[in-house]
Amino acid sequence: MRIALAATALLLATPAFAGPAEEMSKSRIDAIAKGDVMTVQSAYADGATLHWVGGPLDGVYTGADKLKTVWTKFSTAQGEQTAKVASVSEAMNPKGSTVTADVTFSGKNAVKVRYVMVWREGKLADEIWQVNPNAAY
């Protein structure tokens, strides 16, 4: 009984480690904030789709040209900006990972988003950029 309790305590005391998709997502958020469209673009898998929900860029974007265009528009509109991540979580299994982050991009405007990224085989397969102006983060 004591061994089981000690093992349980050890498991509960072990710090959580971010998975690779969470780290890739944080790097992606940094690249978006820096306006590094080439790095943002390079993460996409073939056929990736971005669902941008709300704001002036609202729409569905698929294909390298359309994805590059939307991120260029966002970077240009925002100018120099920073990103503050309020929360991030990763769910994963052998088929892929989904990372959800609440982020505020602060440049010419403060853009609060719920950002959902689906990663498969180290590439970004799909994403949702939900503009969330009433968020409390």
Side-chain angles (χ1 to χ4, degrees), residues 18-86:
E22 184 175 329
E23 292 304 320
M24 290 185 298
S25 296
K26 288 178 180 177
S27 294
R28 180 171 186 75
I29 290 166
D30 289 342
I32 292 168
K34 292 176 185 172
D36 184 353
V37 175
M38 186 183 331
T39 297
V40 171
Q41 188 73 13
S42 70
Y44 285 115
D46 291 339
T49 299
L50 164 61
H51 300 267
W52 195 298
V53 184
L57 297 173
D58 181 82
V60 178
Y61 303 90
T62 302
D65 291 341
K66 289 181 181 178
L67 292 165
K68 182 178 180 181
T69 297
V70 73
W71 287 117
T72 300
K73 285 180 181 180
F74 180 72
S75 296
T76 300
Q78 280 291 89
E80 188 174 324
Q81 64 180 338
T82 60
K84 180 181 176 190
V85 177

Side-chain angles (χ1 to χ4, degrees), residues 71-111:
W71 287 117
T72 300
K73 285 180 181 180
F74 180 72
S75 296
T76 300
Q78 280 291 89
E80 188 174 324
Q81 64 180 338
T82 60
K84 180 181 176 190
V85 177
S87 66
V88 63
S89 66
E90 178 180 10
M92 65 181 137
N93 66 43
K95 297 291 184 178
S97 298
T98 301
V99 176
T100 303
D102 291 325
V103 186
T104 303
F105 291 89
S106 298
K108 291 179 184 172
N109 298 293
V111 181

Side-chain angles (χ1 to χ4, degrees), residues 84-87 101-105 110-115 130-137:
K84 180 181 176 190
V85 177
S87 66
D102 291 325
V103 186
T104 303
F105 291 89
V111 181
K112 294 180 180 183
V113 298
R114 163 85 32 100
Y115 194 13
Q130 172 70 58
V131 177
N132 196 8
N134 297 321
Y137 46 85

